[in-house]
């Protein structure tokens, strides 16, 4: 399991939100000029999918840029892809952090209200409450099917892909906002490793500036979170 690095991300002011970015996570720079980001996405897609035509790559990159703009409008302050080696296995996926309004009321009750407001979960969905250093979080582990554009793979028809997701939701302590930390992967064979790396990331989220480098208390808290996750979700 990759350990947290000493670098930390800071959400745009005035949102008091910090998060440690573990090794293996590659964040999107929201401040980067769109044309530079487009060129980088084209280069990455060309490397990942050498059989795709330049037109297919360009359309996919433009679609990604449009999706990124919508994410920002929806309150996303961090988006990254990750590729991590755990016990000689590679686990890949994406991560995003969003800041969203929450209903008025006690921030401590928000995670429970999230779970109570959910429709009956589909079969295979697991949910519970987990204590993070930043507070109690509602955690939902689920499986989904999503359409993958065929143009990425040089075919005409879209395909369906099965995806596993993990979402942590907790309230800011002093403002009527909540933070949602979401992870998704198509790697269904390493669910335990995926859940653990998501937990490591979520455990580094803080509403106050964390010490640099991480102190022993923080590392011990991270270990306790992993144990709580295993106990809650098996």
């Amino acid at each position: 399991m990759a350990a947290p690095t000493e670098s930390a991300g800071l959400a745009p002011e005035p949102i008091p939100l910090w998060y440690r970015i573990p090794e293996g996570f590659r964040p999107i720079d929201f401040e980067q000029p769109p044309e530079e980001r487009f060129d980088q996405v084209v280069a990455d897609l060309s490397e990942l999918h050498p059989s795709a035509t330049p037109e297919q790559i360009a359309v996919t990159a433009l679609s990604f840029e449009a999706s990124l703009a919508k994410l920002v409008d929806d309150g996303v302050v961090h988006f990254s892809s990750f590729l991590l080696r755990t016990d000689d296995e590679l686990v890949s996926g994406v991560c995003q952090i969003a800041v969203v309004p929450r209903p008025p009321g006690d921030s401590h009750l928000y995670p429970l209200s999230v779970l109570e407001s959910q429709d009956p979960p589909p079969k295979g969905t697991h949910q519970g409450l987990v204590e993070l250093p930043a507070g109690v979080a509602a955690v939902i582990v689920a499986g989904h099917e999503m359409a993958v554009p065929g143009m990425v793979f040089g075919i005409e028809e879209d395909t369906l892909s099965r995806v596993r997701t993990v979402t942590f939701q907790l309230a800011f302590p002093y403002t009527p906002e909540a933070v949602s930390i979401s992870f998704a992967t198509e790697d269904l064979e390493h669910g335990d490793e995926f859940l653990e790396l998501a937990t490591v990331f979520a455990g580094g989220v803080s509403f106050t500036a964390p010490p640099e480098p991480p102190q022993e208390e923080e590392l011990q808290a991270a270990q306790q979170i992993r144990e709580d996750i295993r106990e809650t979700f098996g």
Side-chain angles (χ1 to χ4, degrees), residues 107-118 126-132 135-141 166-171 179-182 202 229 232-233:
S107 62
H108 296 89
L109 299 179
Y110 174 74
L112 181 59
S113 70
V114 168
L115 299 184
E116 292 178 341
S117 66
Q118 298 288 319
H126 304 279
Q127 55 188 33
L129 300 174
V130 173
E131 180 78 36
L132 300 178
V136 176
V139 186
I140 301 174
V141 183
V166 182
T167 302
F168 298 78
Q169 298 186 61
L170 65 162
V179 59
S180 175
I181 313 156
S182 302
I229 284 285
T232 302
F233 296 99

Side-chain angles (χ1 to χ4, degrees), residues 13 15 33 61 63 90 92 110 116-117 120 126 166 171 181 184 195 204 223:
E13 293 291 342
I15 302 172
S63 177
L90 289 176
S92 63
Y110 174 74
E116 292 178 341
S117 66
H126 304 279
V166 182
I181 313 156
L195 182 57
Q223 179 59 38

Side-chain angles (χ1 to χ4, degrees), residues 186-232:
E186 294 183 86
D187 184 352
L188 305 183
E189 298 181 359
H190 302 99
D192 292 342
E193 293 87 348
F194 172 62
L195 182 57
E196 184 166 349
L197 72 87
T199 301
V200 168
F201 192 113
V205 171
S206 175
F207 299 124
T208 58
E212 294 290 352
Q215 295 181 344
E216 181 63 27
E217 291 81 359
E218 183 179 348
L219 300 178
Q220 291 176 355
Q223 179 59 38
Q224 182 61 52
I225 295 167
R226 290 196 288 271
E227 293 174 359
D228 291 345
I229 284 285
R230 293 192 190 102
E231 181 177 350
T232 302

Side-chain angles (χ1 to χ4, degrees), residues 68-185:
L68 194 63
K70 186 179 185 306
L71 289 177
V72 173
D73 289 340
D74 291 341
V76 172
V77 297
H78 169 87
F79 184 90
S80 61
S81 59
F82 59 81
L83 180 63
L84 300 175
R85 181 176 294 279
T86 303
D87 294 333
D88 296 326
E89 299 286 351
L90 289 176
V91 181
S92 63
V94 295
C95 163
Q96 70 179 46
I97 302 175
V99 175
V100 297
R102 67 172 175 86
D106 189 340
S107 62
H108 296 89
L109 299 179
Y110 174 74
L112 181 59
S113 70
V114 168
L115 299 184
E116 292 178 341
S117 66
Q118 298 288 319
D119 293 330
K123 183 179 180 181
T125 298
H126 304 279
Q127 55 188 33
L129 300 174
V130 173
E131 180 78 36
L132 300 178
V136 176
V139 186
I140 301 174
V141 183
H144 307 272
E145 285 191 347
M146 61 179 295
V148 179
M151 68 178 64
V152 173
F153 302 101
I155 60 178
E156 294 183 359
E157 297 182 356
D158 295 346
T159 58
L160 284 178
S161 175
R162 291 189 57 81
V163 176
R164 177 177 284 111
T165 62
V166 182
T167 302
F168 298 78
Q169 298 186 61
L170 65 162
F172 281 77
Y174 305 116
T175 63
E177 295 171 308
V179 59
S180 175
I181 313 156
S182 302
F183 306 83
T185 182

Side-chain angles (χ1 to χ4, degrees), residues 38 41-47 49-50 52-63 151-152:
F38 176 84
V41 171
V42 167
D44 292 343
L45 288 174
S46 298
E47 182 178 354
H49 307 289
T53 67
E55 291 78 10
Q56 292 169 336
I57 294 293
V59 169
T60 303
L62 287 172
S63 177
M151 68 178 64
V152 173

